[in-house]
Amino acid sequence: MVTIRPRTAADLDGCVDLIRLVYAHSGYLVQGTDNAKAFLSGGSIEQAWIAEHDDQIVGHVAVSKATEDDVSVALWRKQHPNDPIAMLERLFVHPEKLGGGIATQLIQTATARSRESGRRLVLFALIKDQAAIRLYERQGWTSFDSFKTNKATSKMFSIGVIGAGAAGLAAAKYLLAEGFEVTMLERKGGAGGVWNTAPGNGYWPSPVYDGLETNVPRTLMTFSDSPWPTDASLFPTSSTVKAYLQAYLDQLKTSDCYSSNLRVEFNAEVTEVRHMTTKTKKPFWKVKFLRHHFGQTPTEWAHAFDAVVVAIGNYHKHFSPKALLDLFSEWDQAYPESLLHAVRYRNPDSFAGKTVLVVGNSASGWDISSQLARTAQTVFVSSRRFTPQSTQQALSAPTHVGMPGIQSVDAATRSVTFVDGKVASNIDNVIFCTGYAYDFEFIKQGTVTPFGAGLRVSNVYEHIFWTVDQSLAFVGLPKMSAAFNVAEAQSAVVARLWSGRIKIWMRPMLQKWEEHAMLDFEEQMHAGRQGPSDFHSFMLATDRNYVNRLLDWSMQAEGTTSFGDEGQPPPYWCSCIDKARDQSKGVRNAFKAHGATRHQYTTHQSLGFQLTGPCIDGVNKLVAEKHRCRSCFI
């Protein structure tokens, strides 16, 4: 039997354990995990209750004083300025006890106590949390009407998708599955995005260099409805990834269901995406592009779309911090050809016998410096996160030397002094492996360029929707993530929203999400866990919760698609995918240890690792059975 009673100080430790269990299961209550005890007892909380079963805490709820800066309070005050109110908060239930009525008992207890004190309860719930909203509605709660069904977008038919890489292909598949007419615009001569390095694409430099292999196993780069060829290497080369993506597009183009609604324009460089409004018809997006005819002058074309997906990934514009460029300004003037960004690197042959400094310790930084160490006289790799022990483990040869951050540069002697006082002299080349910035200056609204270029894309909700008008969406903004999973999860939400089958907050709430996201990001930067370029980064392994959060939103879809089904199933991130990522580094080391024969190894098992296995008993198994678990598939 479940009992509800007021929470005491002695209950806090048990509540902390429960909140962490809930977070591990669903990602819910993300704000409270860093300092759970303060989250449960601090702030404006006036009273809290717990649910107990067999002396175990299985649920929690709190009532807080109404604070005027809270979204829910502000919205309610607009309609009822004199209403005495309090806030219902911190409601969570043990994952294995969901559906047993515990949440209802906790809500009823808090509501009754507040009614006794003459106050009405209000709360903030994300529109994607439809299960929670339905629970409150069953208890007699009513909505502020601060969210909307996309009635305008439910009349959409023609969608433009910019980019035919992994993100663009995922977007096209989910949109086609909802019944939309889709036109893909790709500036290169074929599908594959950054993985397409065919010589005919020489207009644009690519971050993919010769000999590049994926730095994660292909099990983490898999579309949920398209297995890799069984003989594909576990860490495939760029050409193998390109072939996989081209095969995915071929499936769409030859599908009996989708082919008639899909149009693909290659060699189509998008130059402008403009939001158009007229007095006589609904707003639309005008997309201008140059159709390249190799050896001839390109011709300008334009299409009009009801909505646009920008799916050009996150390798838009090479980036180097201004402070770093200032350090090397004199060097650049004296030896301009000796400095290059990683986007211009192709292979180590042209650096044979030279002394090279690689700046940056990202995946490309270590990989490029390891390649160079085979041909160069010496390769220094500089990293602000340098530590002697961790760096030494990553070095590939005696010619591969780890260094900390740069303190000063002397162009006259071509030397660099590092923060530990050591000096590297007679440097022939410097390669900046310092990442990329987003560049969306081609998107226009009237005379305004709402996004521009930089390290963060502003006015975007959940890294997807433009907060001003949700008929513009981005797929593929996040980096340091399981990109294929993330792109599918985003695409599922975009397609269902535009078909009118799921809902989204109105603009003020979308902007509030971004404000909260920025606050969390600033806290992470202050703690040293993220840097200025990491707002859209999932480097803290937050993509798991993100994917499953979008899954939950997608699964709230009402009705069916134009095909009479529930649409393309979005991916579910199960414990086996966690295991695949946790093992990734060890698996890669084992793979590389096989040298020239490494590409013969196509599975984790072939390298002595166990990937799939029975799902964790309890909640994970239940969720996996309910949704599209990929553990057996991969």
Side-chain angles (χ1 to χ4, degrees):
M1 180 178 177
V2 174
T3 58
I4 310 295
R5 65 171 176 81
R7 192 193 71 197
T8 68
D11 299 319
L12 273 179
D13 288 339
C15 292
V16 167
D17 291 340
L18 178 57
I19 200 173
R20 289 173 177 162
L21 177 64
V22 170
Y23 176 75
H25 168 247
S26 63
Y28 176 58
L29 294 165
V30 64
Q31 293 177 324
T33 54
D34 289 340
N35 190 347
K37 190 169 288 189
F39 176 73
L40 291 171
S41 58
S44 57
I45 291 180
E46 296 180 333
Q47 190 172 4
W49 296 267
I50 62 169
E52 281 187 319
H53 181 258
D54 292 339
D55 296 325
Q56 179 186 11
I57 298 175
V58 294
H60 178 278
V61 73
V63 169
S64 298
K65 181 180 179 181
T67 56
E68 301 306 315
D69 61 344
D70 184 87
V71 177
S72 54
V73 174
L75 285 168
W76 188 262
R77 291 289 191 213
K78 287 182 180 180
Q79 301 178 28
H80 311 279
N82 300 316
D83 223 4
I85 56 175
M87 297 161 57
L88 184 82
E89 294 188 303
R90 278 92 164 145
L91 173 66
F92 51 94
V93 174
H94 193 292
E96 293 183 359
K97 302 296 183 181
L98 292 173
I102 295 174
T104 296
Q105 294 182 60
L106 288 166
I107 293 170
Q108 290 175 345
T109 299
T111 303
R113 298 296 187 276
S114 296
R115 189 179 295 115
E116 290 171 3
S117 64
R119 295 182 300 177
R120 180 191 297 272
L121 286 182
V122 298
L123 61 85
F124 175 83
L126 293 175
I127 187 59
K128 61 184 176 53
D129 297 330
Q130 287 293 300
I133 290 172
R134 287 194 294 271
L135 170 65
Y136 291 118
E137 288 176 341
R138 288 196 297 270
Q139 303 304 311
W141 292 58
T142 57
S143 166
F144 296 2
D145 197 27
S146 57
F147 57 86
K148 63 181 178 181
T149 301
N150 252 31
K151 293 182 179 178
T153 58
S154 66
K155 298 177 183 178
M156 290 180 182
F157 187 69
S158 176
I159 312 292
V161 175
I162 303 173
L169 292 170
K173 178 59 178 285
Y174 282 86
L175 289 164
L176 289 167
E178 290 290 320
F180 290 111
E181 182 181 274
V182 175
T183 299
M184 302 186 73
L185 299 170
E186 168 58 54
R187 67 183 183 177
K188 295 182 178 180
V194 295
W195 302 100
N196 185 356
T197 58
N201 299 319
Y203 290 112
W204 306 278
S206 170
V208 174
Y209 41 84
D210 295 350
L212 177 67
E213 302 165 350
T214 63
N215 59 2
V216 296
R218 59 179 173 79
T219 48
L220 296 175
M221 299 177 58
T222 304
F223 286 130
S224 60
D225 61 348
S226 183
W228 286 76
T230 56
D231 60 348
S233 169
L234 189 57
F235 291 85
T237 62
S238 59
S239 60
T240 304
V241 180
K242 177 197 168 188
Y244 174 76
L245 295 173
Q246 180 61 56
Y248 196 77
L249 175 59
D250 291 342
Q251 291 175 28
L252 297 181
K253 292 168 69 175
T254 58
S255 166
D256 291 338
C257 293
Y258 306 144
S259 59
S260 62
N261 279 348
L262 175 64
R263 179 180 179 184
V264 183
E265 298 266 10
F266 289 127
N267 302 313
E269 178 191 4
V270 172
T271 56
E272 183 176 283
V273 175
R274 184 176 295 275
H275 194 231
M276 309 290 289
T277 56
T278 69
K279 292 182 179 180
T280 58
K281 49 183 184 178
K282 70 176 183 178
F284 65 97
W285 292 91
K286 183 177 181 180
V287 178
K288 293 182 179 179
F289 62 96
L290 293 176
R291 180 173 283 128
H292 288 278
H293 310 277
F294 293 98
Q296 302 177 37
T297 302
T299 54
E300 187 173 78
W301 294 71
H303 282 319
F305 299 107
D306 295 317
V308 170
V309 175
V310 179
I312 60 177
N314 46 54
Y315 293 96
H316 307 164
K317 182 178 183 180
H318 63 79
F319 169 79
S320 295
K322 184 179 183 301
L324 183 64
L325 296 177
D326 289 345
L327 274 176
F328 281 91
S329 59
E330 291 185 18
W331 190 308
D332 187 33
Q333 294 175 15
Y335 325 104
E337 295 303 315
S338 69
L339 301 178
L340 66 153
H341 189 274
V343 73
R344 291 173 51 204
Y345 173 82
R346 282 296 162 264
N347 59 63
D349 296 344
S350 57
F351 300 91
K354 294 183 177 182
T355 298
V356 183
L357 170 64
V358 174
V359 182
N361 73 332
S362 63
S364 62
W366 283 117
D367 197 31
I368 288 174
S369 61
S370 297
Q371 281 195 8
L372 291 169
R374 300 197 294 267
T375 63
Q377 177 178 310
T378 307
V379 179
F380 297 99
V381 54
S382 169
S383 164
R384 290 177 300 171
R385 293 175 233 175
F386 168 87
T387 59
Q389 183 176 5
S390 64
T391 302
Q392 190 61 40
Q393 292 173 352
L395 300 179
S396 61
T399 55
H400 198 186
V401 182
M403 289 292 186
I406 297 171
Q407 179 172 297
S408 62
V409 171
D410 187 341
T413 60
R414 299 176 76 121
S415 62
V416 172
T417 301
F418 301 94
V419 293
D420 63 355
K422 294 180 180 178
V423 178
S425 303
N426 301 315
I427 295 172
D428 297 295
N429 292 95
V430 181
I431 302 177
F432 296 136
C433 295
T434 46
Y436 297 82
Y438 298 98
D439 185 0
F440 296 120
E441 292 187 345
F442 59 87
I443 302 175
K444 313 288 185 183
Q445 182 189 25
T447 59
V448 177
T449 303
F451 301 102
L455 299 177
R456 181 174 78 87
V457 185
S458 301
N459 301 316
V460 175
Y461 173 68
E462 280 281 21
H463 311 283
I464 306 173
F465 293 106
W466 187 26
T467 56
V468 175
D469 188 326
Q470 291 79 63
S471 63
L472 176 68
F474 297 86
V475 171
L477 284 186
K479 42 187 189 172
M480 302 296 287
S481 68
F484 287 53
N485 283 16
V486 168
E488 282 200 82
Q490 292 179 320
S491 299
V493 167
V494 170
R496 285 159 168 78
L497 180 71
W498 286 353
S499 67
R501 298 202 300 126
I502 60 175
K503 300 176 183 179
I504 193 168
W505 286 113
M506 294 177 71
R507 183 176 176 180
M509 307 299 283
L510 305 183
Q511 293 172 329
K512 198 67 180 179
W513 176 90
E514 187 178 32
E515 291 175 18
H516 283 299
M518 272 304 299
L519 288 174
D520 290 342
F521 174 56
E522 288 168 1
E523 289 179 5
Q524 297 293 345
M525 284 201 297
H526 182 73
R529 291 192 286 267
Q530 289 189 295
S533 64
D534 293 329
F535 180 79
H536 299 288
S537 171
F538 290 155
M539 62 187 299
L540 302 179
T542 52
D543 45 358
R544 179 193 203 278
N545 294 329
Y546 181 74
V547 166
N548 286 347
R549 188 163 75 242
L550 296 186
L551 165 71
D552 184 59
W553 190 4
S554 296
M555 297 301 284
Q556 308 306 324
E558 299 175 354
T560 59
T561 71
S562 60
F563 297 104
D565 57 26
E566 296 182 355
Q568 173 75 359
Y572 165 65
W573 191 301
C574 66
S575 61
C576 298
I577 304 239
D578 285 330
K579 188 173 182 180
R581 182 158 64 183
D582 291 343
Q583 291 181 344
S584 184
K585 184 176 181 180
V587 172
R588 180 158 174 76
N589 288 338
F591 176 81
K592 291 175 74 71
H594 287 280
T597 64
R598 63 191 181 280
H599 289 293
Q600 297 176 11
Y601 294 85
T602 61
T603 65
H604 286 70
Q605 290 82 354
S606 66
L607 290 168
F609 290 82
Q610 181 67 29
L611 175 60
T612 60
C615 288
I616 300 171
D617 290 337
V619 294
N620 193 76
K621 183 175 177 62
L622 293 174
V623 175
E625 290 173 350
K626 179 180 178 182
H627 302 304
R628 187 183 180 90
C629 180
R630 302 191 318 145
S631 59
C632 298
F633 172 73
I634 63 174

